[in-house]
Amino acid sequence: MKKNKTTTPKLKFSGKWDYAAAPESKDHIQLNEKYDLFINGKFTAPESGKYFESINPANEKVLSKVADANAADVDKAVRAARNAYDKTWSKMPAKERGKYIFRIARAMQERARELAVIESMDGGKAIRESRDVDVPLAAAHFFYYAGWADKIDYAVPGIKAKALGVAGQIIPWNFPLLMAAWKIAPALAAGNTVVLKPAETTPLTALKLAEIIQEADLPPGVVNIVTGAGATGAALVNHSGIDKIAFTGSTEVGKMIQKAVAGTNKKYTLELGGKAANIIFEDAAIDQAVEGIINGIFFNQGHVCCAGSRLFVQEGVAKTVIRKLKDRMETLIVGDPLDKNTDIGAINSKMQLDKIKQFVKIGINEGGECFQTSCSLPSKGYWFRPTIFTNVSQSSRIVQEEIFGPVLAVQTFRTVEEVIEKANNIPYGLSGGVWTDKGSKIFKVTSQLRAGVIWANTYNKFDPTSPFGGYKESGMGREGGLHGLTPYLSLEY
Ligand code: NDP
């Protein structure tokens, strides 16, 4: 690997940064050996008779066996959802519906520790993140949309809004519980019933959510959870009893879904891939910007659709920023997701790890200069060192394609016009970041970046009241806020 002398790390850490392990306890969590499908308020054995293993990516040990739903199972779940919609949920006064959603939110808070530990074990993310970000935000989404349930008549002034019916929802593995909350909470608040399919590698917190839904005494069939792989998702998309599909995942599968629902009455929202530009101007507060770069790309191992995976640094500060960035990267602790010191946990699956490695090879073959931190990695499990590439060009594959791992591509620029041009020259348009001391520059740049969400002098800040979603190949529709409620409503003008 080539090294650039002017930007090699300057600080010598010489072991001073080692911390004593501070593992979160697993004693308080309970995982069943086997999980069935959650249909009509009960855990139900799959018609398929098949189960698959969910493993801990940090040690490759099996956590539980989970039912693999086939088309007959999906049909059962959709029928249960339809029945619950027709007979119970659509007839219930809105404020009563709201009470159930509030109850789910409170139960999630009560079981927050358990949910956080399971999320970290099943998906590999650092406990600090699942504890402080995923679980609180997931509960916040239920709280926020619970408040909307009895205010739907005021959601769009002068327009009569009605629920759509049954929503089919498919979620990815990077924020399993949070994505379940993003999907289920607005759907229920708008008066729909749902069938949710979690990702194959991370089904466990959704199944814990099913337990919470049972405890909350939600009428049977209002929420159904069918676990399985891509075929289960496809059966849900193609089911004629579905009124709306909400999908988060890859652009490739998003396009397949779009084709599948074309010509039907199904509504759909797609939250797909991204390749965000994180732009650092010379007048930015450099140390804060470096923290923002770290957060932008290494949060959740870089398994983030809005990750700041393309860094643009203005030429005058490029050397300083890259040197400080490498120094800061050397302090990142990669390892046991349950250790409270850990900054970067395990890569979610072997498949994803292989994909990241493949992209790094491509980057090197394309002539990029690769820098990886020198941290030690555990011997078992799926791990990848924080990595940055310099000397890459706009046409490099690692600049154009979503890697979904802890790999950052760094480019430089001279003028505002140049960086806007480069930032927008990409098939995606989900998110971005701008770092500058000048408010006027923030407005100029953010108004010209073609991205759904742009942070200024910060990165990766989420709030249930704030809409999130993309342009171009990053998808269509918004989640969060009022914008995330209306796709679950039929608006009669
Ligand atoms: P997918 O898009 O395949 O997975 C997302 C969800 O869709 C999962 O629940 C998946 O099931 C399901 N699914 C898969 N195939 C179909 C289908 N034909 N019809 C309906 N549902 C389907 O992403 P992957 O997990 O395969 O990840 C591949 C790449 O996608 C990643 O490397 C990353 O680049 C990108 N990605 C982007 C995300 C984002 O939010 N932008 C999120 C996840 C991935 P199952 O997982 O069980 O197979």
Side-chain angles (χ1 to χ4, degrees):
M1 247 168 249
K2 289 183 210 162
K3 280 211 170 124
N4 182 337
K5 276 197 195 125
T6 49
T7 56
T8 41
K10 284 272 190 303
L11 302 178
K12 298 271 180 286
F13 297 104
S14 58
K16 276 188 227 143
W17 294 84
D18 289 346
Y19 290 85
E24 171 68 48
S25 162
K26 288 184 282 188
D27 299 347
H28 55 92
I29 67 148
Q30 217 201 334
L31 279 176
N32 299 343
E33 261 175 44
K34 197 172 92 170
Y35 281 95
D36 287 323
L37 305 169
F38 185 65
I39 297 178
N40 210 25
K42 289 196 187 79
F43 283 94
T44 313
E47 297 280 333
S48 70
K50 289 189 189 150
Y51 292 81
F52 59 92
E53 291 174 342
S54 192
I55 66 152
N56 182 340
N59 56 22
E60 300 171 53
K61 285 193 184 144
V62 176
L63 292 168
S64 184
K65 288 202 165 98
V66 178
D68 188 2
N70 64 14
D73 295 307
V74 169
D75 181 54
K76 228 192 223 178
V78 174
R79 282 173 195 276
R82 173 67 57 195
N83 194 42
Y85 177 76
D86 289 342
K87 302 213 171 115
T88 325
W89 204 237
S90 63
K91 301 223 160 75
M92 192 182 281
K95 70 171 194 236
E96 294 304 315
R97 275 205 323 264
K99 286 183 197 170
Y100 282 106
I101 309 171
F102 275 122
R103 213 182 275 173
I104 296 171
R106 284 194 298 269
M108 285 177 86
Q109 286 187 322
E110 278 161 21
R111 292 174 66 169
R113 240 179 111 198
E114 180 191 4
L115 291 169
V117 171
I118 296 174
E119 197 72 308
S120 283
M121 288 169 74
D122 203 23
K125 65 175 68 199
I127 186 74
R128 274 207 331 258
E129 290 178 7
S130 45
R131 183 195 63 193
D132 299 345
V133 182
D134 295 60
V135 177
L137 262 182
H141 270 267
F142 277 101
F143 274 120
Y144 171 70
Y145 281 112
W148 266 115
D150 61 354
K151 298 170 195 72
I152 300 292
D153 287 344
Y154 312 101
V156 189
I159 285 167
K160 183 118 193 69
K162 261 180 54 204
L164 297 171
V166 178
Q169 309 182 314
I170 300 167
I171 54 172
W173 43 262
N174 52 345
F175 293 92
L177 184 69
L178 183 58
M179 287 302 107
W182 277 30
K183 298 279 181 281
I184 296 175
L188 297 189
N192 303 273
T193 57
V194 310
V195 179
L196 175 91
K197 193 206 88 68
E200 188 184 0
T201 60
T202 55
L204 297 181
T205 44
L207 293 162
K208 282 280 153 187
L209 181 60
E211 289 177 7
I212 288 174
I213 283 164
Q214 259 184 338
E215 282 165 21
D217 218 10
L218 210 73
V222 171
V223 173
N224 305 274
I225 298 180
V226 288
T227 44
T232 312
L236 190 55
V237 170
N238 293 320
H239 197 291
S240 58
I242 292 287
D243 299 299
K244 183 215 154 73
I245 285 290
F247 173 79
T248 299
S250 61
T251 296
E252 189 191 350
V253 174
K255 285 180 182 175
M256 283 160 61
I257 291 176
Q258 205 173 20
K259 278 187 196 148
V261 300
T264 72
N265 281 330
K266 290 173 195 165
K267 289 190 168 232
Y268 63 95
T269 39
L270 304 171
E271 203 268 274
L272 310 176
K275 193 80 187 177
N278 202 4
I279 302 169
I280 318 292
F281 285 99
E282 280 167 357
D283 56 13
I286 297 298
D287 288 338
Q288 273 112 309
V290 169
E291 284 309 304
I293 299 166
I294 294 279
N295 174 272
I297 185 62
F298 300 124
F299 175 60
N300 199 31
Q301 295 74 247
H303 301 327
V304 184
C305 48
C306 54
S309 49
R310 286 183 299 152
L311 177 65
F312 289 98
V313 193
Q314 203 161 14
E315 261 183 23
V317 290
K319 276 184 190 156
T320 312
V321 168
I322 294 166
R323 180 177 46 77
K324 283 179 181 252
L325 176 61
K326 288 177 177 175
D327 279 335
R328 178 68 178 91
M329 282 168 68
E330 282 289 2
T331 70
L332 293 172
I333 299 172
V334 183
D336 180 7
L338 288 186
D339 191 324
K340 287 167 219 141
N341 295 317
T342 295
D343 296 304
I344 300 185
I347 298 301
N348 183 266
S349 65
K350 165 105 182 31
M351 216 170 101
Q352 189 61 25
L353 180 61
D354 291 343
K355 181 179 168 186
I356 296 167
K357 285 181 177 164
Q358 186 59 30
F359 265 111
V360 168
K361 261 194 206 154
I362 291 169
I364 292 169
N365 290 341
E366 281 177 333
E369 279 178 25
C370 177
F371 168 80
Q372 293 186 312
T373 63
S374 54
C375 64
S376 60
L377 299 179
S379 54
K380 263 279 213 208
Y382 313 132
W383 309 97
F384 203 77
R385 288 197 172 82
T387 301
I388 62 169
F389 272 96
T390 47
N391 198 28
V392 294
S393 65
Q394 196 55 25
S395 58
S396 302
R397 278 189 64 193
I398 57 164
V399 168
Q400 288 290 322
E401 296 179 38
E402 186 181 50
I403 302 175
F404 227 59
V407 182
L408 176 69
V410 185
Q411 292 174 270
T412 58
F413 68 94
R414 288 183 182 170
T415 64
V416 170
E417 290 67 28
E418 179 192 350
V419 77
I420 290 170
E421 180 92 21
K422 281 180 167 171
N424 285 337
N425 180 5
I426 190 101
Y428 296 110
L430 188 57
S431 58
V434 180
W435 298 79
T436 167
D437 193 31
K438 304 277 178 296
S440 54
K441 208 184 278 174
I442 290 174
F443 286 119
K444 181 175 167 83
V445 175
T446 53
S447 63
Q448 291 182 57
L449 286 182
R450 190 107 176 103
V453 183
I454 303 166
W455 291 284
N457 294 327
T458 187
Y459 209 91
N460 274 340
K461 288 275 179 290
F462 302 97
D463 189 282
T465 63
S466 174
F468 183 92
Y471 293 103
K472 302 194 280 186
E473 298 214 353
S474 290
M476 53 194 58
R478 295 291 179 267
E479 293 185 302
L482 175 60
H483 298 70
L485 191 66
T486 46
Y488 287 99
L489 292 167
S490 140
L491 302 173
E492 287 168 17
Y493 290 86

